[in-house]
Amino acid sequence: MKKDILLLGQYISRTIFGKCPNCSIDKIFSSRFKMKSECENCGIKLIEKNGDNWFFLLLIDRGLFIFPIIVAFYFETSPKFIIVISIVLLILFIIITPFRLGLCLGFDYYFRSKIDKKI
Ligand SMILES: [Zn+2]
């Protein structure tokens, strides 16, 4: 269990900085927003099936961007504040896209490595 958490942490620490989760040598992005299909160094598939990362992306996006807006509504803050926080979160959402995608790949690669030992 502790080994699994360390492994997950290792994958995520590599992918959030844009490195391959397996070898940490090759970059996972071909451009700012586009992920490569496989690592050019070790050959692992970064995107096994199109849309594999959506589950984790959905969870992370809910947690980081939708949840703060819901909390702002819950505490009945002023509408101006909610609009400002929404715009700030939207800009942040776009800026940290490589980080979000990297985090998702880290989780995805971890679970794929648990299911299929061959990758
Ligand atoms: Zn690699």
Side-chain angles (χ1 to χ4, degrees), residues 20-26 39-44 46:
C20 169
N22 189 39
C23 65
S24 80
I25 293 171
D26 193 28
C39 174
E40 287 164 15
N41 184 53
C42 64
I44 62 148
L46 298 171

